[in-house]
Amino acid sequence: MDSDRDSGKPGLVARADEARRLARSEPEAAERQARAVLAEAREAQDSAALLRAHYTLGAIAVMDARYEEAVGRVAEGSAELAALGVGASPELLNVQGTAYRYLGMYGLATERLLQAERLVRESDKPELVHPVLNNFALALSEIGEKEKAYGLFVEAEAAARAAGNDYVVLLTRSNIGCALTSLGRLDEALALLEATVESSRAAGLDSVLADALDNLGQARTASGSLREAETDFRSALAIERRLGQAAVASLTREHLAENLLLQGRFAEAEAEARGAYEAARRADHASLRASSVLARAKALEALGRFREAAEAYRERV
């Protein structure tokens, strides 16, 4: 059955795509629609609609920090598609790799995203180039593959520019700035991130603005401009809290804690790191839990609270 040619109703593929577009603004409605499409696609044995529905449901689960559910969704979808003779999907592998990254399972994340990258480069789906390369670069950053991550971010940004997606272009430029900071190329990082902050603010893209401010704060911290960096982190946090981005705010609080530690404001640093840990725990974000508890351990050690610091170090291990 052709999923885009049924009796007067919008095609199943089109409805799944509509649900994906709704996901950021109306996640509950988007999930209901994707589940309805999935049920109809199963009945019709429509592989294209099955793929889109599973992809949409997996992506929504990732956005809602339901990472284990996202992993399972992709496994279920891949099995259903294989039964219909459909091979591995870069869309589903991208979702699963991203979920594994958030769970702190970096080996599985890079394995899935490497497979997705290979499939994308062999496919005729240019719309997948940016999300796959960007997510693969983020995973490589987590395991210290800084140069390769930087190269993939640059390639992903070019793909986003070619697609004319300003939101994605600016978000990827923020990632490039972060990669430049990790490589010690601070002058380049500062220039790029300051420009990205201004462009995001002018465009009214608050989530990108928060991300760029956090990355600018990291670059300024690395360059020794601690007070300016603190202002950046606090500005990013205000936006993230307004947008309800709990997991993202946890990471920004961790960066703020590290900044305060360098300023010698140890009690404030401990409070921010503790808050970051609690937020990461509520979001079930393994890698953020590990890094925030390390930041707290360092602050406790600086305060002379050595027993608590030792307990925190053990928790991280």
Side-chain angles (χ1 to χ4, degrees), residues 1-312:
M1 177 179 178
D2 185 338
S3 61
D4 282 323
R5 209 176 57 224
D6 58 4
S7 55
K9 298 188 297 182
L12 292 178
V13 168
R15 285 165 56 203
D17 289 344
E18 181 188 29
R20 181 72 182 93
R21 288 190 293 272
L22 276 174
R24 289 192 178 277
S25 58
E26 301 177 54
E28 292 182 1
E31 188 161 1
R32 284 195 299 272
Q33 180 160 321
R35 289 187 184 281
V37 170
L38 180 62
E40 292 181 52
R42 281 172 169 160
E43 184 176 350
Q45 295 285 283
D46 186 326
S47 60
L50 274 172
L51 169 58
R52 295 297 222 293
H54 278 298
Y55 168 71
T56 298
L57 289 167
I60 290 171
V62 168
M63 285 189 287
D64 198 34
R66 291 153 27 209
Y67 306 123
E68 291 181 356
E69 178 183 329
V71 169
R73 167 64 56 194
V74 170
E76 180 182 337
S78 297
E80 285 192 69
L81 289 165
L84 294 175
V86 178
S89 155
E91 296 100 316
L92 294 183
L93 288 165
N94 187 38
V95 168
Q96 193 173 59
T98 301
Y100 277 133
R101 179 171 64 82
Y102 282 126
L103 288 167
M105 302 170 73
Y106 300 124
L108 287 169
T110 53
E111 177 190 318
R112 298 298 192 276
L113 291 166
L114 175 61
Q115 188 178 359
E117 181 207 17
R118 289 171 177 162
L119 290 169
V120 160
R121 293 191 188 281
E122 295 167 0
S123 77
D124 58 351
K125 296 181 177 180
E127 72 277 7
L128 294 178
V129 173
H130 171 271
V132 169
L133 296 189
N134 187 67
N135 284 333
F136 190 25
L138 288 168
L140 290 173
S141 298
E142 298 277 10
I143 61 173
E145 295 280 354
K146 299 175 185 178
E147 288 284 359
K148 186 170 183 182
Y150 169 74
L152 287 172
F153 280 135
V154 170
E155 193 176 349
E157 192 265 352
R161 273 191 288 111
N165 190 326
D166 292 341
Y167 171 89
V168 174
V169 167
L170 289 171
L171 186 60
T172 311
R173 285 179 183 167
S174 180
N175 288 337
I176 292 172
C178 186
L180 287 167
T181 299
S182 73
L183 290 168
R185 295 162 58 179
L186 297 180
D187 289 344
E188 293 172 80
L190 288 166
L192 178 60
L193 289 165
E194 286 167 1
T196 304
V197 164
E198 291 310 311
S199 297
S200 302
R201 184 177 282 124
L205 298 172
D206 285 352
S207 61
V208 182
L209 174 59
D211 188 79
L213 282 166
D214 178 51
N215 285 335
L216 179 57
Q218 292 179 75
R220 284 179 168 159
T221 297
S223 66
S225 300
L226 299 180
R227 289 287 188 173
E228 288 180 275
E230 180 186 348
T231 299
D232 293 329
F233 291 135
R234 293 193 186 281
S235 297
L237 267 174
I239 297 169
E240 290 157 359
R241 284 168 172 159
R242 176 166 54 79
L243 296 177
Q245 297 177 329
V248 178
S250 169
L251 183 58
T252 303
R253 290 190 78 177
E254 180 189 326
H255 294 154
L256 175 58
E258 292 165 349
N259 173 279
L260 293 168
L261 192 60
L262 290 171
Q263 292 189 53
R265 293 156 62 183
F266 303 141
E268 292 173 78
E270 190 277 330
E272 291 295 341
R274 179 164 23 92
Y277 173 79
E278 289 302 322
R281 183 181 57 79
R282 288 193 296 272
D284 193 28
H285 197 307
S287 61
L288 285 183
R289 285 202 309 273
S291 56
S292 59
V293 80
L294 178 60
R296 182 168 182 253
K298 291 177 179 176
L300 288 167
E301 194 171 14
L303 288 165
R305 293 160 60 180
F306 300 115
R307 180 175 296 176
E308 292 172 82
E311 290 174 356

